[in-house]
Amino acid sequence: QVHLVESGGGVVQPGGSLRLSCAASGFSVRSSGMHWVRQVPGKGLEWMTSLDEIRTYIADSVKGRFTISKDTAKNTLHLQMNSLTIEDTAIYYCVKDRTGHGAFDYWGQGTLVTVSS
Amino acid sequence: EVVLTQSPGTLSLSPGEGATLSCRASQSIASDFFAWYQQKPGQAPRLLIYGTSSRAAGIPDRFSGSGSGTDFTLTIRRLESEDFAMYYCQQHTGSHYSFGQGTKLEI
């Protein structure tokens, strides 16, 4: 059974950094497309970045600041977030890809990142 | 970058009625790469439909998706109380993914 558990959220000052983790079980992140999607509370969904077996995709809004990576030994997905701004405040979801369809199949429960001074 | 526009913004219906939600893309999308999601308050989104018309595991057959090119539709037959939620469309083109702004289905 696929299960995704995010961690690492919290409060950070503007300009700061944070690293989110997503522990996966029930499948291998090595051979799966994985994504990060965020949502400002009460607002819509925003795709951030994706990583399949060979390629990385990233939204223009976070390019140069956010980096997605996989730790295949620990079956974990990471999101390194640098130069954070107030506009990055959101719930961050780790998502497993629906292979071949570019859809977001399984979602974690989300972790809240608050950027505030 | 593909922009998805959902309509209506809010849809007010009663249990037992049918619902039609629309999503229009700013450019043509391959049918394999279009999806719909449901989100309830305090929960993560749930995949309903992928590849325009394929239901995800466990999704009741009262949910159906259709469309092609730039116009896509989510149809819900005989609404049940658990169906009242936010619905988002989503696409994947090239190196980019995007969501619509959502339709709120309310009682």
Side-chain angles (χ1 to χ4, degrees), chain B residues 63-86:
Chain B
F63 289 88
S64 63
S66 62
S68 64
T70 60
D71 291 294
F72 297 84
T73 300
L74 175 68
T75 302
I76 312 172
R77 293 183 294 112
R78 297 189 303 275
L79 284 165
E80 299 190 4
S81 58
E82 66 202 46
D83 299 336
F84 291 92
M86 284 293 294

Side-chain angles (χ1 to χ4, degrees), chain A residues 5 9 14 18 27 34 38 40 48 50 52 61 64 69 82 87 89-92 101-102 113:
Chain A
V5 179
L18 211 56
F27 72 101
M34 298 295 297
R38 72 183 180 185
V40 175
M48 292 287 92
S50 304
D52 62 20
S61 60
S69 63
N82 299 328
E87 289 70 34
T89 294
I91 299 168
Y92 285 75
H101 292 282
V113 172

Side-chain angles (χ1 to χ4, degrees), chain B residues 3-75:
Chain B
V3 176
L4 299 177
T5 302
Q6 293 185 238
S7 60
T10 302
L11 187 56
S12 300
L13 294 169
S14 299
E17 293 188 296
T20 300
L21 286 66
S22 297
C23 182
R24 176 161 289 178
S26 59
Q27 59 187 266
S28 185
I29 298 168
S31 296
D32 280 349
F33 299 104
F34 186 86
W36 290 94
Y37 302 82
Q38 178 193 69
Q39 187 179 31
K40 297 180 180 179
Q43 296 184 15
R46 176 175 70 151
L47 177 65
L48 293 175
I49 301 288
Y50 65 93
T52 296
S53 59
S54 296
R55 278 186 299 277
I59 302 304
D61 62 6
R62 63 178 182 276
F63 289 88
S64 63
S66 62
S68 64
T70 60
D71 291 294
F72 297 84
T73 300
L74 175 68
T75 302

